[in-house]
Amino acid sequence: MSPYDLFIAPFAEFDFMRRALVGVIALGLGAGPIGVLMMLRRMSLAGDAMAHAILPGAAVGFLAAGLNLFAMTIGGLVAGFAVAIGAGAVARATQMKEDAALAAFYLVSLALGVMLVSLRGSNVDLLHVLFGTVLALDDPTLLLIVGVSTVSMLTLAVLWRPMVVECVDPGFLRSVSRAGTPTHLVFLALVVLNLVGGFHALGTLLAVGLMMLPAATARFWASDLTALVLTAVLVACGSGVIGLLVSYHLGVPSGPAIILVAGGAYVLSVLVGPIGGILLRLMPRRHLEA
């Protein structure tokens, strides 16, 4: 098989592959920087909980209008914001930590969402909601994903400095500026938006994968924040492209293939990454070398 047949022909010959390509690149551009900020905030598992939190809202939209883009998007956004705000409120009103509150909301949301979809839909509909259909993106869905990515990048460009400061020392930001709480709320809004966009392509179970795995991978290759973001974006986009090619040539589901490629990049980075990789730590060092 020639390099053209292996890498270019699937996208040149099939319109659905080109749509999927645009979708995964847009997801990578928007979710990559968000994943890095979530990692810096130690919110990696919270992202997974919030990804599942959109399921009941999407399920209500499905019950009301079937597999309708607008209804499921609005439902997912409402549910995502409700869980994010609700978990924060519980953490502030009680002795429970925010991660524990998110875990409780996550479990209830996942069970409720699956039950709601099962009430009216078939197993195919349930799989569509849980794992997405990146190879079946239509024009409205593609425009939604690209729109979410555009809003994310523009918002990060405007609020990048306070968002980074809020990650490193939120107490300091609140002491010198009133932008602390609004910045945190805007950040949560971006997380929910990107999870809803990823939901339409990768489903609720895998949407957070293209956000967190590239960020975790980048940590083994870069220490500077700018380099971290660029590396995460490259890994996210590259995982999407390679995952689509693997799905096409091997006939496996595209969403899991994309996330498995990103997972493979993470495992490789854990082993050979120049910043904290296992093999580098095992290599003998010169005397008194740090």
Side-chain angles (χ1 to χ4, degrees), residues 125-249:
D125 296 322
L126 183 60
L127 289 175
H128 171 90
V129 172
L130 294 178
F131 298 104
T133 53
V134 69
L135 294 182
L137 298 178
D138 55 15
D139 287 341
T141 306
L142 197 57
L143 287 173
L144 171 68
I145 294 173
V146 173
V148 167
S149 178
T150 302
V151 169
S152 298
M153 290 188 290
L154 290 176
T155 305
L156 289 174
V158 174
L159 298 177
W160 180 250
R161 190 180 297 273
M163 281 195 177
V164 172
V165 175
E166 215 257 338
C167 285
V168 178
D169 193 346
F172 171 75
L173 181 62
R174 292 187 183 96
S175 68
V176 300
S177 171
R178 296 180 179 178
T181 299
T183 298
H184 184 66
L185 293 176
V186 170
F187 174 73
L188 289 179
L190 290 180
V191 172
V192 174
L193 278 174
N194 278 273
L195 289 174
V196 170
F199 152 74
H200 288 293
L202 301 173
T204 57
L205 295 184
L206 300 177
V208 74
L210 211 57
M211 184 180 292
M212 298 313 310
L213 283 172
T217 300
R219 189 64 187 85
F220 290 95
W221 298 95
S223 54
D224 176 75
L225 183 58
T226 302
L228 266 175
V229 170
L230 291 176
T231 305
V233 169
L234 288 175
V235 172
C237 294
S239 299
V241 174
I242 296 172
L244 288 176
L245 291 172
V246 169
S247 171
Y248 175 82
H249 290 295

Side-chain angles (χ1 to χ4, degrees), residues 8 49 60 66 68 74-76 94 97 99 112-113 119 121 139 169 174-176 181 183 195 227 248 253 287 290:
I8 300 176
V60 171
N68 179 275
I74 295 300
T94 68
K97 298 293 185 181
D99 59 341
L112 179 61
L119 286 176
D139 287 341
D169 193 346
R174 292 187 183 96
S175 68
V176 300
T181 299
T183 298
L195 289 174
Y248 175 82
H287 182 56

Side-chain angles (χ1 to χ4, degrees), residues 73-142:
T73 298
I74 295 300
L77 287 173
V78 171
F81 285 124
V83 167
I85 295 172
V90 169
R92 285 164 177 77
T94 68
Q95 296 181 344
M96 180 174 287
K97 298 293 185 181
E98 191 169 11
D99 59 341
L102 275 171
F105 276 94
Y106 143 66
L107 292 170
V108 173
S109 298
L110 180 61
L112 179 61
V114 171
M115 185 183 70
L116 289 175
V117 174
S118 301
L119 286 176
R120 175 175 169 181
S122 64
N123 288 335
V124 174
D125 296 322
L126 183 60
L127 289 175
H128 171 90
V129 172
L130 294 178
F131 298 104
T133 53
V134 69
L135 294 182
L137 298 178
D138 55 15
D139 287 341
T141 306
L142 197 57

